[in-house]
Amino acid sequence: MIKASIIGASGYTGGELLRLLIAHPKVEIVQATSRQKLGEYLYQTHPNFRKQTTLKFSDPAELIPTDVLFLALPHGQAQHNIAKYAAVAEHIIDLSADFRLRDADLYQQWYGEPHAAPDWLDKFVYGLPELYRDELKTAKYVSGVGCNATAVNLGLLPLVNTGLLETNLPIIAELKVGSSEGGASVNSGSHHPERSQTIRTYAPYGHRHTAEVIQESGLADVTLTMTSVGLVRGALATVHGRVKDGVALKDLWKAYRLAASQNPFLRIVKERRGIYRVPEPKILAGSNYADLGFDLNPKTGHVISICAIDNLMKGASGSAVQSMNLMLGFEETLGLEFMGLHPI
Amino acid sequence: MIKASIIGASGYTGGELLRLLIAHPKVEIVQATSRQKLGEYLYQTHPNFRKQTTLKFSDPAELIPTDVLFLALPHGQAQHNIAKYAAVAEHIIDLSADFRLRDADLYQQWYGEPHAAPDWLDKFVYGLPELYRDELKTAKYVSGVGCNATAVNLGLLPLVNTGLLETNLPIIAELKVGSSEGGASVNSGSHHPERSQTIRTYAPYGHRHTAEVIQESGLADVTLTMTSVGLVRGALATVHGRVKDGVALKDLWKAYRLAASQNPFLRIVKERRGIYRVPEPKILAGSNYADLGFDLNPKTGHVISICAIDNLMKGASGSAVQSMNLMLGFEETLGLEFMGLHPI
Amino acid sequence: MIKASIIGASGYTGGELLRLLIAHPKVEIVQATSRQKLGEYLYQTHPNFRKQTTLKFSDPAELIPTDVLFLALPHGQAQHNIAKYAAVAEHIIDLSADFRLRDADLYQQWYGEPHAAPDWLDKFVYGLPELYRDELKTAKYVSGVGCNATAVNLGLLPLVNTGLLETNLPIIAELKVGSSEGGASVNSGSHHPERSQTIRTYAPYGHRHTAEVIQESGLADVTLTMTSVGLVRGALATVHGRVKDGVALKDLWKAYRLAASQNPFLRIVKERRGIYRVPEPKILAGSNYADLGFDLNPKTGHVISICAIDNLMKGASGSAVQSMNLMLGFEETLGLEFMGLHPI
Amino acid sequence: MIKASIIGASGYTGGELLRLLIAHPKVEIVQATSRQKLGEYLYQTHPNFRKQTTLKFSDPAELIPTDVLFLALPHGQAQHNIAKYAAVAEHIIDLSADFRLRDADLYQQWYGEPHAAPDWLDKFVYGLPELYRDELKTAKYVSGVGCNATAVNLGLLPLVNTGLLETNLPIIAELKVGSSEGGASVNSGSHHPERSQTIRTYAPYGHRHTAEVIQESGLADVTLTMTSVGLVRGALATVHGRVKDGVALKDLWKAYRLAASQNPFLRIVKERRGIYRVPEPKILAGSNYADLGFDLNPKTGHVISICAIDNLMKGASGSAVQSMNLMLGFEETLGLEFMGLHPI
């Protein structure tokens, strides 16, 4: 059994990591820290752990040596202590934004301050197996992924990989996201009477995850437009671009089928009948799938690529565990078999 | 035009009062106070007031003389300043729990501390027109009503008024309520990802509104069981009791029809066809109606009375404005004509 | 009192018309037809009408002469009987798509079959007062508006009217809409367990309302992308375009302020504080407002215009009643004063 | 590997069975029938099966011999063909109501018509392992359980088993349930705009599951009051009764702890801190747990027992698979390990 620890385990990303690791057949959790909930049972915060574990939140100041250390801290913290973390674990997976961007300047541009550990940036592999499967197999340090960036990157992947997209034209990615993206901390906008049933375009452009899309897709002119909608888990990216002259719908089919065949957690959803003809995040709650759809306006070459994920799974903890599996030589899908619920 | 002021206008009850008074044809708002939002436009807190009023929140320490003063403060505050308030307004309507109970001992029993102004208790009329229409016409001081107590009291009214109920047996009132009952203040339990789609029996017995039901219904053995469910506005009371021997369904019809005919905001909902055969709070959002349903198990005499309200309207601000109308000699329904939305 | 009739009154658009007209101080409803619900009380279908009206659904085959006839039939029906309808009413407002497009060829292109009454097309004024206020004042025949087209047209209005927009570049309008857009008829996709909390991009391009946007905005390359989300009432359009060189954020402020000042139901929502900083449809439920927001990426000239409406109000029945008011010489806002609810 | 077939696999209960059996390590699905969806892929109806199985719905008229046959048909059908089913499978688990009641008269009383196969009634074991663990180990025929009956029976179990309850007084069980209880068939009341955010007491008394509670609890005077609320999966029973004289809260603790210790899927939720202090069904979505809470009014002896379940799991397919595990000698919890999601 591999030993794993989670730093910052009381939030939603930490909780989802714990859920996956508690059930993982090759992993034993040795430590789950939370300064705020110190000494409390995990299940008092994450009620789904009742009868699953009697572990308590421990002190992040007293780290136990471990095989894999997951960091699920708020953005901007891990970079200040990364050397300390590396001293207690051979493998680190940091789910914050701290080590996602390889370029310290890009980091400063999008996060507004200089990076505290720029030398560490190129030691990390971006933890999206659909993009870095081979690199992850030999990685020691893995960064997590931005949930919205992931929905866009996976939506673009079949188009970018096959060169079907006009790369010099603007890409507009419209994201519709649930309330769990905001995390476990309370604020006035997350108060249920205010947040319930909202449709709120809270960031028309400039969302930080844009940087990850630019870095990973290689596209220059990308806009992420963020809209909060009425559910808890889930993100849908509807990505608008133009295909190159002569590209037809059958070329898209080929590109998406290739992507789905190469990646265990990518699926195409493009049906002519039934209720679920296109990707929908709600049926992915708890699952690690990214469901892909697409369409093409043949008159204009306008391509719309759709990607649905559970933001806490494929968009965060699921990809992290998938990366861990690759890094440690386990079956890539191990512990990620939950197929989601219907109806929900 | 009558001059009205609202003390504590930034909360949900205060906001709903403002909504009604802004549109009321006989009322001019002279002041709306909020310590927390001092100097801000009302519409920055209550976004439905945009283009309706350019009033700003003012300082509760600087009260302007007015005709009617509405107090929408947290429980326990109005009783400490009631003399001060009476000095600036001839009529007062206090929406908190401070002056609902006529008996200072009963207050202490349910609210856990002695009342700060016991001499004022009998100056107040309980602001439920269905119970105190005549008294309200000559009142100077009116208390608001507890939203849950109101759903139960109105559900029981036809049975109590006609003497059909066995009054010495236990009454169990099961309330299902929306998130706005918790008010505008944020807490961890109201965080959208936690509160969304909940079914949470948070108070199996002992809810403070029980005292108002006991006082107003005259019944001794009453339990209110509170369950939070997934909506914002609305409360449904399902009240269980036993009718006296020999009481039949037709007697209930008669009792409920009488109540509905005597009260402009009571309606019977008991249909054999259509989707809306029984009372439902969601179609009452923004309206002052209380919808009543009932059924009788003829074998056992078990009677179930159902009452649906919008907790912010009939359960708080709507009844307060209805009481104001009576107190000031206006048409009882003035400014309360909104009939609710369907679908919603 | 003006006499009004509604043909097809059992659907959601018809129900919303009825709600407005029952409360309208200058209108008396003489007839509300429904073949399916013939003989039933209106309130058995629209439960908010209980204690408001004892009218029953009547037979559409037996039309009573009236002053204004509202047609709220499924698309494709009104055009076959328009002469018959004109024989019983001097004024007609047709809320279906039948008379929205002035060009019969455009109709055929988007609706897939030739128009049955092409001679009538130019007798109708498009019923959006923000675009045709003057024409509506002398109109006899008014078409309703497409709800999604309206969100986009009003979002674009300040930009188009002031010439700030690059009109030869693609416009992408991303709409997020509630379940009431699908109407009152049941289908497998609207079944609550399936439709609840969905995020479903059901029409990436090609939505019929696109034709109305092209016609009214004068823009050639417009895409409407439709996504169903988890609420009942409400539509939000997030519209992407490019401004002309040199256009700055202050120019947008000027353009939007002009539009808001000229139109009683347009409002700007662009705040720096509070929860409601941008337009949100949920607080518009039942109101006739269209709330407008905007932002500009100064580096790229990418402009994002946001418009929130209640699809059944400003997007359908509200605009129809507003048009009626203009047509009959009433105050434009008469009967449309409801300001919406907060919280909801 | 055991061979299993599901008759009536396109509904929600059938879909949930399939989900559990696809992932079950000891079971191979040989057939899943649906007359309506014949020839379609399972994943076109149950979108969570995509990339899990390429099985298609087959014809219920052409049954393949199998080890365990699950019947997930509408009520009233299985009893007409039970001999035919027994001919193709040694073990049968019928999830309908047909074989839940052991007494044919009781069946006729609650279901309104005589039972078609009364001789089979005593061959079936009621499929609730918490009540019939030992009997299930040797059973050949197992009935499913009513979801609402299960919430009540498990809520009552600790009280009944320990003799703490006054059994001659009325028991009122108030159930709040999600929309999936209504099944996959569309009706006007399940249309999203109507069903969304409802609180609808649709059956104040007389629900058919009452019969199962009477049979299994041994209590005579039981009322189930049913209220639909705004979520898809989940049922909460709040059960009101009286304890015998002298029973104190510590006795309840003992009784509930005993039940939780004896049953792997029973848990006590009664916390003093945190958000989840009482049982809530939403965190049980997809899990087989029944969460139990309780409280006692020491003045009156009024006991409130609370039980939360996922109606499709512990209330139907989860208990069925748990029963199958016992019947076939597998680990009781096999294939039922999913712990549920938080947040959700």
Side-chain angles (χ1 to χ4, degrees), chain D residues 20-37:
Chain D
L20 296 171
L21 297 179
I22 287 170
H24 197 288
K26 304 267 192 181
V27 172
E28 177 193 11
I29 300 173
V30 296
Q31 189 173 21
T33 76
S34 169
R35 211 164 257 140
Q36 199 191 346
K37 306 270 183 177

Side-chain angles (χ1 to χ4, degrees), chain A residues 253-268:
Chain A
W253 269 109
K254 218 166 146 184
Y256 282 80
R257 282 200 180 111
L258 181 67
S261 71
Q262 290 175 333
N263 292 287
F265 291 113
L266 296 191
R267 303 189 295 194
I268 303 172

Side-chain angles (χ1 to χ4, degrees), chain A residues 118-172:
Chain A
D119 295 350
W120 282 79
L121 288 177
D122 63 2
K123 297 182 181 172
F124 276 77
V125 176
Y126 189 76
L128 195 60
E130 288 74 12
L131 298 180
Y132 296 102
R133 184 166 287 113
D134 288 342
E135 293 82 346
L136 287 166
K137 288 176 182 168
T138 58
K140 285 177 65 184
Y141 304 120
V142 173
S143 82
V145 294
C147 47
N148 303 308
T150 298
V152 179
N153 278 328
L154 295 179
L156 285 169
L157 180 147
L159 300 173
V160 167
N161 278 5
T162 55
L164 297 177
L165 202 65
E166 277 289 3
T167 53
N168 57 339
L169 291 179
I171 301 292
I172 293 174

Side-chain angles (χ1 to χ4, degrees), chain B residues 174 194 198 200 276 280, chain D residues 174 194 198 200 240 276 280:
Chain B
E174 274 263 350
E194 312 294 352
T198 199
R200 186 186 295 168
Y276 295 88
E280 288 196 40
Chain D
E174 275 262 352
E194 312 293 352
T198 199
R200 185 186 296 168
H240 300 267
Y276 295 88
E280 287 197 39

Side-chain angles (χ1 to χ4, degrees), chain B residues 170 174 176 188 193-194 196 198-201 205 223 225 236 238 240 242 276 280-282 296 298 302 342, chain D residues 170 174 176 188 193-194 196 198-201 205 223 225 236 238 240 242 275-276 280-282 296 298 302 342:
Chain B
E174 274 263 350
K176 297 92 181 175
S188 62
E194 312 294 352
S196 175
T198 199
I199 314 179
R200 186 186 295 168
T201 297
Y205 74 93
T223 299
T225 300
L236 187 86
T238 314
H240 301 267
R242 298 264 158 171
Y276 295 88
E280 288 196 40
K282 75 170 193 160
L296 177 69
H302 180 175
H342 170 252
Chain D
E174 275 262 352
K176 300 89 180 174
S188 61
E194 312 293 352
S196 175
T198 199
I199 313 179
R200 185 186 296 168
T201 298
Y205 74 93
T223 299
T225 300
L236 187 86
T238 315
H240 300 267
R242 298 264 159 171
I275 299 169
Y276 295 88
E280 287 197 39
K282 75 170 191 158
L296 177 70
H302 180 175
H342 171 253

Side-chain angles (χ1 to χ4, degrees), chain D residues 53-87:
Chain D
T53 176
T54 53
L55 209 64
K56 292 179 178 181
F57 289 110
S58 64
D59 190 341
E62 298 172 11
L63 295 183
I64 300 169
T66 188
D67 296 318
V68 191
L69 187 65
F70 289 89
L71 306 176
L73 296 163
H75 298 318
Q77 298 191 7
Q79 58 188 278
H80 292 286
N81 296 295
I82 189 63
K84 190 182 80 178
Y85 294 132

Side-chain angles (χ1 to χ4, degrees), chain A residues 9-28:
Chain A
S10 65
Y12 290 157
T13 302
E16 195 71 353
L17 271 176
L18 283 166
R19 178 177 75 81
L20 296 171
L21 297 177
I22 287 170
H24 197 288
K26 305 266 191 179
V27 172
E28 179 193 10

Side-chain angles (χ1 to χ4, degrees), chain D residues 184-216:
Chain D
S185 295
V186 181
N187 63 69
S188 61
S190 76
H191 189 48
H192 182 273
E194 312 293 352
R195 178 63 178 75
S196 175
Q197 305 212 311
T198 199
I199 313 179
R200 185 186 296 168
T201 298
Y202 69 91
Y205 74 93
H207 191 283
R208 287 170 166 183
H209 289 185
T210 311
E212 287 172 59
V213 177
I214 291 171
Q215 172 179 285
E216 300 304 335

